Amino acid sequence: MESSSSLKGSALGKLVVTSGLLHSSWSKILEIHNPPYSNHDPGLQVSKKKKDSGLEFQIHREEKFTLVVFSAPPICRSSSSDSTLLHVKDKENPFPFLCSENNPSFSLHTPAFNLFTSASTSLTYLKSELLQTLKSEKPVIITGAALGGSVASLYTLWLLETIEPTLKRPLCITFGSPLIADASLQQILENSVRNSCFLHVVSAQTRIKMDFFKPFGTFLICFDSGCVCIEDHVAVTELLNGVHDSGLVDYSQVLNRLDQSMLSLADSRLIPEDVIKGIEKRAEMKNLRFDMMFKKLNDMKISMAYIEWYKKTCKEVKIGYYDRFKTQLAFPSKEFDINIKNHHKSELNRFWKSVVEEVERRPQSDASILKRRFLFSGNNYRRMIEPLDIAEYYLEGRKEYRTTGRSHHYVMLEKWFGMESILIEKERCKKRDLSDLLTFDSCFWAEVEDSLIVINQLNTTVGMRDDVREVLTRKLVEFEGYMWEIITKREVSPEIFLEESSFMKWWKEYKKIKGFNSSYLTEFMNTRKYESYGKSQ
Amino acid sequence: MAFEALTGVNGDLVTISWMASKGANQTEHYLKEEVGGTVFFAFRASFSSEDLFATENTSPFGEIKMKRNQFPCMRSIGNDVDTTVNEAFLKSLEVLIGPRTSFHASVQSAVDRKQQVVFTGHSFGGATAILATVWYLETYFIRDAYAAPEPRCVTFGAPLVGDYIFKHALGRENWSRFFVNFVTRFDIVPRIMLARKTTIEQTLSYVLGKLDSTRAPIHESDQVITEFYTRVMRDTYTVASKAVCQLIGNGEAFLETLSSFYELSPYRPVGTFVFSTQKRLVVVNNSDAILQMLFYTCQSNDEQELSVIPFLSIRDHHGYEELVQSIGIKLLNHLDLHNPLLDGENSIGSALDDLGMSTRARQCIHAALEAEKQRCQAHKNGYYDSFKDSNEENDFKANVKRVELAGIFDEVLGLVKKGQLPDGFEGSRGWINLATQYRRLIEPLDISNYHGQLKNEDTGPYMLHGRPSRYKYAQRGYEHDILKPTGMIAKDVFWSKVNGLNLGLQQDIQEILKNSGSECGSCFWAEVEELKGKPYEEVQVRFKTLEGLLEGWIKDGEVDEKEIFLEGSTFRKWWNTLPDSHKIHAPLYPRERMMDETRAT
């Protein structure tokens, strides 16, 4: 029995061939290369051939879809392997949105890129026109042969930036076109839904040099007796990589042969066994990575439930979960505490680090979808768990967590939440009971610890210079200001006022230094107003 | 007899059905035949193109949605989508059950006398038979399963009628078993609906004329027929290839991009299919496998045979007399999960040889059967049992359990939405009860968690953004189950209750009750949380609605009455703040008093 990947490859190939899309595209490509003498097609728009660059395109409005055909002059051999490097920060870069956190730059095939930029004015105009078409629910095919197909690919990539996920995705069909992307761009697209918008038709006899430029999208590889459709780019490389073959392929013939092969019963095996095995292995890995992430999200919620419970039991013995965790770290006693640290906390950290990595691998515009999906659980996680990481950090005798000790994934989660939550209208009720609130600033405890260290320095250093003393005192005043702000904004959990908490320890020390100087905070603390903080009124 | 065990009908019933179907062509609409206490309704086949594609219908396959209030069961609960069927076929059903024929009355009298009914038809009459059976199931069978006997539907060379949801809904209600479709190997009619209207439009009338046996004979070299056949099979091939891609999975993004560029027929086979060849009958129940067979059985290794297949595709449409007579004589094979042996040695293998199935074809069938196997396995994996033990004493454990159960439920829902569980899964009473119990028990916890963590301040009201789709789904399944015998739909029932409270005009109330927890009993607490703390005047209508519906919820077991009146409950506390003028007239007032008294004693 043949494997399912091979069946899938051939079924997908048959679907593509019987759908008739290849014929529609190819006939228009023929037309642009050999224009008929009189053209009365009312749906046709022809752009003037640009003398300097030689790029040309036509729009055909068909009944079911709109077709854009690109045509470019034959490629000059000497420049065929030149590449242009584009960085996310380049002003000249038309594709900054494709860059990911991991791949801030990539290179493109220079001849295609130059043709593309040379026509930027008319292409910008075309873009707004196509967007209108897509919004009216009519899909768009962008096509071209040889270098024309490469420009079509570039153009499609560019168009994709402005296409919202709710619109129909365009399809780019190329025939025997040179590859345009380097390994970085291939990697970026591999993790993107954009990859699904490219169909490259190639004859199996063609050999493509793949030492610098890499394939992306789906390939329809045409043999004499049939065809296969493959997305796996490693397999595509295995099947097509080789010394450049200058022999021109006539795709009219290739398509005709495909048509005939549809009716025949021949079931020849088109792809070697080992290539198929590779495809299967990689598909499985990719699925696993994805399934894991979503399945795990639920396991993570369970771990969060454990930690929520931990927080609750701590409150009952008048100590916040932050301080309880800190003392338990120093003197572990109960199994439950150890479990929290070794199991739940570390599982949660590992999971969220991998989510952040996954997001960073994607193009910026794709990543936002994933971010939104994980937004609230990620934020909840950060507010709940980061204090525990802070506890570990200060117990090791270190300081200044926010600037020197913070893990990258917390920074990113906070950044994303900040960006996304602006979009959500917030209406916080003044009367609400805050007892289950998680402190908004997940680095709150680091501020408290740093401030405690400052007090300690002031109290224990003998013969401190006045200017040093002044700097340290200013730090304390700044912290007081910060405290008062989050209290008035009701953004801090009432747990910090529990008797045994580090914050209360800070207050006792701070009171001595402050003496009789009165402020909002001292008044709030001295008159024990904090006891009613966060209670529902 | 093996044939009856596999198909649910015996040879005699098939023979009578065939005779009646032939006879129906001499009538205007239908023929009624009573044999040994069973009533046969056979429908006339029409060969005019308006009876295949409704004239005003502009959809690419002449399709239309079935109306939910007329056919409440014909939809998907998981995705909440109604069934799509061919409009022309639906229209001929409407004429049939309308006042112009005696059909409705005849069925009624058969039901009154508790007689078994068989709906049957040849060719396009078979399409009417299928829809008439659905109509019977929705109108009589579901209302009172004891009074109306199980119907049967027997078709001969019928076209496909409905889409995937049609097939799914019949499977969910366990009704697929009533349908048996006979197909001679090359018959074009069961394949016609897989083609786009635009590709066959021009030649359709001509071919329909040829299919009508009363007309002149056909020639083997008729080019129009060859053209027509090629176009139909090409589209059929596209449908079959796409189905295989979906069965195997992987690379869905590319398939999705591709799918906006071509139109694929939505129609799918329903029930049991019996394919016939010269030597044997092959019985298949799996809809995916049947779809593949509709394409692949028309292939041939034999060059000479290949060239005459277009001709055979017309001739075979009239081969049913011979087929019916051969039941009991021909070899019988069953293609299913347990014998999907695709090599040529054993009998099922040679059956596939007879049907001209190539290796590739066998792989496609195999993929279809394999998918079915996986659906059954997912079902057996015990989603069910992991759900059963839920109510924990300890509130921490309850919280963990809550999250665990949500995970399992979401996984099940994901499978349901993608159609990866057997069709019957959603319809089973056990699952509906479990999901309902889960919803009633756990949704209040979710609501309290939502409000406890102040998420309503972050994300908005629970009903608008917070309510997980698993509860919406569980609610749909529950409502479907209890309303099924009444033939009503949930939305209408809700509004008739609300209108009964006389709070104002429906359109005004509709605006006020947008995103209100009153839509469902298990959302009672969400509504209380939303309303409490707001001035009474502002939320009067919403509160009165909640109050008005509460009685019914308590009766149905949606809300636990003891719990809501407890001294410390959020509801009770809020109730105490309401103005006396409201309390005295409130339907809850006597109940509240009573509860107080019982506690005092």
Side-chain angles (χ1 to χ4, degrees):
Chain A
M1 183 59 52
E2 230 176 308
S3 68
S4 65
S5 288
S6 125
L7 179 58
K8 163 103 186 199
S10 90
L12 202 54
K14 279 169 184 162
L15 178 61
V16 167
V17 174
T18 54
S19 70
L21 295 177
L22 300 182
H23 275 285
S24 314
S25 307
W26 184 251
S27 66
K28 300 300 176 199
I29 290 175
L30 285 181
E31 223 171 86
I32 199 171
H33 287 282
N34 314 296
Y37 286 110
S38 64
N39 205 322
H40 296 296
D41 182 354
L44 178 68
Q45 287 173 21
V46 189
S47 78
K48 292 265 154 43
K49 194 168 197 161
K50 297 196 74 174
K51 272 184 194 139
D52 44 347
S53 69
L55 183 71
E56 195 182 353
F57 62 85
Q58 286 180 349
I59 307 177
H60 299 266
R61 298 197 181 277
E62 307 278 287
E63 195 195 336
K64 303 278 183 228
F65 45 76
T66 293
L67 234 150
V68 181
V69 191
F70 281 93
S71 145
I75 192 162
C76 168
R77 280 214 89 159
S78 61
S79 65
S80 67
S81 57
D82 289 357
S83 66
T84 306
L85 181 73
L86 297 168
H87 192 271
V88 66
K89 284 180 183 143
D90 284 349
K91 279 208 187 86
E92 303 294 305
N93 181 0
F95 306 100
F97 57 91
L98 278 178
C99 301
S100 66
E101 300 267 352
N102 290 353
N103 286 306
S105 66
F106 56 81
S107 298
L108 291 173
H109 186 239
T110 300
F113 182 68
N114 286 344
L115 278 173
F116 173 77
T117 47
S118 73
S120 64
T121 329
S122 50
L123 291 181
T124 309
Y125 179 70
L126 177 66
K127 183 177 179 177
S128 61
E129 216 177 304
L130 290 184
L131 277 176
Q132 283 307 318
T133 312
L134 282 167
K135 276 182 189 145
S136 64
E137 292 281 288
K138 225 170 160 190
V140 171
I141 290 181
I142 299 160
T143 188
L147 189 57
S150 304
V151 179
S153 292
L154 268 183
Y155 183 74
T156 309
L157 275 177
W158 189 57
L159 183 68
L160 281 167
E161 184 202 359
T162 30
I163 294 178
E164 300 155 32
T166 50
L167 291 180
K168 284 182 175 158
R169 295 195 282 267
L171 178 65
C172 174
I173 305 179
T174 73
F175 294 86
S177 296
L179 303 176
I180 57 162
D182 70 345
S184 298
L185 184 55
Q186 182 195 47
Q187 214 176 58
I188 293 169
L189 290 172
E190 192 193 358
N191 294 297
S192 167
V193 72
R194 290 165 217 270
N195 209 26
S196 74
C197 300
F198 297 88
L199 176 65
H200 306 292
V201 183
V202 285
S203 158
Q205 278 109 42
T206 316
R207 286 288 167 268
I208 308 170
K209 236 165 91 186
M210 296 193 185
D211 44 0
F212 185 78
F213 292 111
K214 307 284 177 196
F216 66 85
T218 302
F219 280 74
L220 184 79
I221 303 178
C222 311
F223 299 83
D224 280 340
S225 58
C227 64
V228 281
C229 230
I230 307 180
E231 255 172 276
D232 182 304
H233 63 75
V234 180
V236 170
T237 311
E238 282 167 356
L239 291 170
L240 294 179
N241 192 14
V243 181
H244 188 74
D245 175 13
S246 60
L248 279 175
V249 177
D250 180 359
Y251 281 91
S252 299
Q253 272 180 28
V254 171
L255 293 186
N256 281 340
R257 267 207 304 275
L258 279 187
D259 263 358
Q260 276 153 20
S261 74
M262 285 300 111
L263 297 172
S264 88
L265 274 172
D267 283 319
S268 49
R269 293 184 182 210
L270 300 172
I271 324 173
E273 199 63 34
D274 52 329
V275 176
I276 288 171
K277 286 220 173 91
I279 296 179
E280 268 169 8
K281 214 160 147 195
R282 285 182 293 274
E284 203 178 309
M285 292 292 286
K286 200 169 175 180
N287 278 349
L288 228 88
R289 211 176 76 205
F290 248 78
D291 279 7
M292 282 300 281
M293 204 159 79
F294 287 99
K295 277 214 182 106
K296 272 228 140 168
L297 184 59
N298 205 57
D299 291 349
M300 291 308 114
K301 284 183 182 160
I302 292 174
S303 280
M304 284 295 281
Y306 272 91
I307 293 181
E308 266 166 37
W309 175 251
Y310 178 70
K311 181 167 174 280
K312 207 163 156 185
T313 51
C314 294
K315 212 156 88 180
E316 278 161 16
V317 292
K318 300 273 178 232
I319 184 167
Y321 80 114
Y322 169 76
D323 285 290
R324 158 83 171 259
F325 187 75
K326 219 168 106 180
T327 42
Q328 291 300 336
L329 271 183
F331 315 100
S333 56
K334 277 196 195 159
E335 201 182 326
F336 192 72
D337 293 297
I338 297 165
N339 237 334
I340 288 292
K341 175 182 181 311
N342 292 344
H343 182 68
H344 299 296
K345 185 169 88 71
S346 61
E347 280 290 299
L348 281 162
N349 284 343
R350 197 172 332 146
F351 171 75
W352 283 103
K353 277 178 187 162
S354 74
V355 170
V356 170
E357 268 170 34
E358 188 72 41
V359 173
E360 291 189 329
R361 222 177 276 149
R362 284 156 196 259
Q364 291 169 12
S365 36
D366 281 20
S368 65
I369 299 166
L370 199 66
K371 280 185 220 164
R372 229 166 285 150
R373 198 146 171 188
F374 284 111
L375 190 64
F376 287 102
S377 40
N379 196 46
N380 215 22
Y381 152 78
R382 178 175 59 83
R383 288 177 178 170
M384 179 79 95
I385 308 298
E386 193 168 6
L388 303 183
D389 279 338
I390 292 172
E392 280 180 350
Y393 183 83
Y394 283 92
L395 211 66
E396 287 165 10
R398 294 191 276 173
K399 57 182 184 176
E400 281 161 13
Y401 171 85
R402 201 194 284 267
T403 48
T404 56
R406 201 173 187 204
S407 162
H408 171 71
H409 77 287
Y410 285 128
V411 180
M412 297 317 287
L413 284 173
E414 183 169 354
K415 192 172 133 197
W416 297 337
F417 185 76
M419 290 190 299
E420 292 289 335
S421 64
I422 298 167
L423 305 171
I424 298 164
E425 216 178 295
K426 274 195 210 139
E427 183 199 332
R428 297 192 66 222
C429 174
K430 283 265 171 271
K431 290 185 205 160
R432 279 286 182 196
D433 178 60
L434 296 183
S435 51
D436 283 329
L437 181 93
L438 290 169
T439 302
F440 278 26
D441 180 4
S442 53
C443 290
F444 167 80
W445 288 107
E447 297 290 341
V448 175
E449 295 287 355
D450 282 334
S451 198
L452 271 167
I453 292 170
V454 168
I455 288 179
N456 197 28
Q457 279 175 319
L458 285 172
N459 287 345
T460 55
T461 316
V462 186
M464 185 182 278
R465 272 171 35 207
D466 278 356
D467 56 337
V468 176
R469 179 167 295 275
E470 201 176 311
V471 169
L472 292 179
T473 316
R474 201 180 308 128
K475 274 193 180 165
L476 284 184
V477 174
E478 271 167 21
F479 177 70
E480 189 190 324
Y482 161 82
M483 269 317 298
W484 184 240
E485 189 188 334
I486 58 175
I487 289 172
T488 47
K489 282 188 175 165
R490 296 164 50 86
E491 288 180 354
V492 65
S493 157
E495 271 183 26
I496 66 163
F497 302 116
L498 291 172
E499 280 162 41
E500 302 294 322
S501 96
S502 294
F503 174 74
M504 293 308 273
K505 205 157 82 192
W506 173 85
W507 165 243
K508 276 171 209 148
E509 294 296 322
Y510 185 63
K511 208 159 103 179
K512 287 183 215 152
I513 293 173
K514 190 92 176 170
F516 291 104
N517 288 337
S518 169
S519 69
Y520 289 124
L521 184 72
T522 54
E523 144 111 29
F524 179 79
M525 295 303 293
N526 282 326
T527 55
R528 295 186 157 265
K529 270 192 193 151
Y530 64 82
E531 283 176 355
S532 59
Y533 168 83
K535 300 256 163 63
S536 64
Q537 290 153 13
Chain B
M1 182 187 145
F3 183 79
E4 187 171 356
L6 290 176
T7 59
V9 291
N10 62 37
D12 291 344
L13 192 142
V14 176
T15 310
I16 301 162
S17 297
W18 172 246
M19 298 308 285
S21 294
K22 265 203 313 191
N25 287 334
Q26 317 304 320
T27 69
E28 198 188 344
H29 293 291
Y30 76 101
L31 177 79
K32 186 181 148 194
E33 195 87 53
E34 213 175 310
V35 182
T38 302
V39 188
F40 292 79
F41 293 96
F43 306 97
R44 195 179 79 96
S46 157
F47 291 93
S48 75
S49 55
E50 307 88 77
D51 290 319
L52 202 55
F53 294 112
T55 358
E56 325 78 68
N57 190 307
T58 53
S59 319
F61 300 93
E63 72 272 25
I64 193 174
K65 290 253 182 251
M66 277 180 130
K67 289 198 195 77
R68 192 177 286 193
N69 48 16
Q70 199 183 356
F71 298 97
C73 291
M74 300 311 287
R75 60 171 170 138
S76 111
I77 296 174
N79 294 314
D80 202 19
V81 179
D82 295 326
T83 286
T84 297
V85 290
N86 179 306
E87 188 180 1
F89 300 162
L90 191 61
K91 275 189 167 163
S92 59
L93 172 74
E94 273 157 13
V95 170
L96 191 70
I97 57 177
R100 274 163 49 201
T101 82
S102 55
F103 176 72
H104 199 153
S106 304
V107 175
Q108 181 72 55
S109 88
V111 171
D112 290 343
R113 284 179 284 139
K114 296 193 193 301
Q115 287 176 302
Q116 187 184 35
V117 287
V118 176
F119 300 97
T120 184
H122 172 230
S123 188
F124 300 98
T128 316
I130 291 170
L131 285 173
T133 312
V134 171
W135 169 80
Y136 172 86
L137 288 164
E138 289 264 26
T139 319
Y140 296 103
F141 188 66
I142 189 82
R143 305 290 159 90
D144 191 352
Y146 300 103
E150 290 183 353
R152 286 288 179 274
C153 175
V154 181
T155 73
F156 305 93
L160 304 182
V161 171
D163 69 344
Y164 168 76
I165 299 169
F166 188 75
K167 172 243 156 198
H168 166 75
L170 290 175
R172 185 190 62 229
E173 305 300 334
N174 194 18
W175 292 343
S176 303
R177 63 202 159 103
F178 303 141
F179 298 81
V180 185
N181 308 282
F182 290 91
V183 175
T184 44
R185 181 171 162 194
F186 296 111
D187 186 356
I188 192 77
V189 177
R191 286 133 176 141
I192 281 185
M193 294 317 296
L194 294 172
R196 285 165 295 171
K197 185 163 68 179
T198 47
T199 58
I200 55 171
E201 225 161 19
Q202 286 169 348
T203 42
L204 184 63
S205 296
Y206 178 84
V207 174
L208 288 176
K210 296 287 171 193
L211 282 168
D212 190 350
S213 63
T214 55
R215 307 273 180 91
I218 50 166
H219 300 288
E220 281 188 21
S221 55
D222 189 330
Q223 280 311 303
V224 183
I225 287 176
T226 308
E227 172 75 13
F228 181 83
Y229 170 83
T230 313
R231 282 167 178 250
V232 170
M233 288 321 285
R234 198 180 218 333
D235 280 359
T236 303
Y237 200 11
T238 320
V239 175
S241 303
K242 168 85 185 271
V244 170
C245 292
Q246 279 172 326
L247 285 172
I248 298 171
N250 259 337
E252 278 84 356
F254 179 65
L255 265 187
E256 196 191 310
T257 304
L258 208 57
S259 67
S260 46
F261 294 93
Y262 52 76
E263 286 146 337
L264 282 188
S265 168
Y267 301 112
R268 293 293 176 270
V270 168
T272 303
F273 272 62
V274 183
F275 287 92
S276 83
T277 69
Q278 307 242 303
K279 281 180 269 170
R280 54 181 99 224
L281 298 174
V282 181
V283 180
V284 198
N285 310 87
N286 178 307
S287 176
D288 293 323
I290 296 165
L291 184 68
Q292 295 302 320
M293 289 179 75
L294 285 177
F295 174 75
Y296 284 106
T297 52
C298 279
Q299 287 192 318
S300 177
N301 274 322
D302 185 337
E303 283 288 318
Q304 206 179 353
E305 190 179 43
L306 205 59
S307 66
V308 293
I309 289 179
F311 163 74
L312 296 178
S313 79
I314 306 292
R315 195 205 61 186
D316 266 10
H317 191 56
H318 297 292
Y320 291 94
E321 180 108 17
E322 186 268 338
L323 189 158
V324 169
Q325 286 162 359
S326 73
I327 295 176
I329 301 164
K330 279 186 185 173
L331 296 168
L332 186 68
N333 290 111
H334 187 209
L335 187 67
D336 80 337
L337 273 175
H338 309 292
N339 341 298
L341 298 166
L342 304 177
D343 305 312
E345 298 297 314
N346 51 59
S347 67
I348 197 76
S350 27
L352 294 175
D353 281 345
D354 272 8
L355 284 164
M357 307 278 272
S358 61
T359 318
R360 181 64 81 205
R362 285 160 205 236
Q363 283 165 359
C364 295
I365 305 281
H366 181 77
L369 296 173
E370 198 55 39
E372 175 74 25
K373 203 154 133 191
Q374 272 167 16
R375 279 196 282 269
C376 291
Q377 249 153 18
H379 182 37
K380 278 189 209 126
N381 274 347
Y383 282 115
Y384 225 69
D385 291 317
S386 37
F387 235 72
K388 276 185 179 162
D389 36 20
S390 48
N391 195 11
E392 292 282 343
E393 294 290 301
N394 185 319
D395 81 336
F396 161 62
K397 278 194 184 153
N399 205 19
V400 170
K401 207 77 196 171
R402 180 177 68 82
V403 182
E404 270 175 14
L405 288 174
I408 303 168
F409 204 112
D410 282 346
E411 211 174 323
V412 177
L413 188 55
L415 294 175
V416 163
K417 286 196 167 187
K418 281 187 252 156
Q420 287 171 349
L421 285 173
D423 292 332
F425 175 78
E426 283 185 285
S428 72
R429 182 55 54 78
W431 169 245
I432 291 170
N433 287 345
L434 212 54
T436 304
Q437 206 185 345
Y438 166 72
R439 177 175 58 81
R440 287 172 177 170
L441 209 58
I442 310 293
E443 185 163 20
L445 295 182
D446 263 328
I447 294 169
S448 113
N449 199 49
Y450 190 81
H451 286 270
Q453 295 191 358
L454 311 183
K455 282 193 191 147
N456 53 326
E457 295 182 355
D458 265 345
T459 15
Y462 175 79
M463 291 304 283
L464 185 61
H465 296 302
R467 193 176 190 210
S469 48
R470 52 179 179 275
Y471 297 126
K472 296 182 196 164
Y473 162 74
Q475 181 191 345
R476 278 202 298 274
Y478 166 73
E479 287 167 349
H480 170 74
D481 190 52
I482 55 164
L483 295 178
K484 208 153 65 169
T486 68
M488 292 196 282
I489 59 174
K491 207 174 114 207
D492 297 345
V493 172
F494 174 74
W495 282 107
S496 80
K497 277 186 195 157
V498 173
N499 290 336
L501 300 171
N502 293 319
L503 299 171
L505 287 171
Q506 180 169 333
Q507 68 224 56
D508 300 340
I509 308 272
Q510 231 156 10
E511 192 52 40
I512 297 170
L513 291 189
K514 230 186 220 171
N515 309 319
S516 139
S518 289
E519 282 168 25
C520 179
S522 54
C523 297
F524 172 80
W525 292 106
E527 188 69 351
V528 172
E529 290 279 359
E530 278 296 314
L531 300 185
K532 74 170 195 200
K534 290 188 180 149
Y536 172 74
E537 293 72 27
E538 208 177 278
V539 296
Q540 202 175 351
V541 172
R542 279 177 75 171
F543 183 57
K544 282 185 173 163
T545 309
L546 186 74
E547 231 175 20
L549 297 173
L550 186 57
E551 192 70 28
W553 290 335
I554 291 174
K555 210 175 81 214
D556 295 341
E558 283 280 301
V559 175
D560 184 352
E561 87 177 298
K562 280 179 226 120
E563 208 172 296
I564 61 173
F565 284 109
L566 285 179
E567 207 55 56
S569 92
T570 311
F571 178 69
R572 179 66 183 247
K573 278 196 214 152
W574 178 52
W575 169 265
N576 288 339
T577 69
L578 295 174
D580 284 342
S581 58
H582 173 94
K583 283 199 249 180
I584 293 171
H585 299 291
L588 286 177
Y589 186 65
R591 186 182 285 276
E592 188 233 354
R593 291 258 72 92
M594 199 181 73
M595 303 273 305
D596 270 4
E597 277 155 26
T598 40
R599 220 170 289 137
T601 52

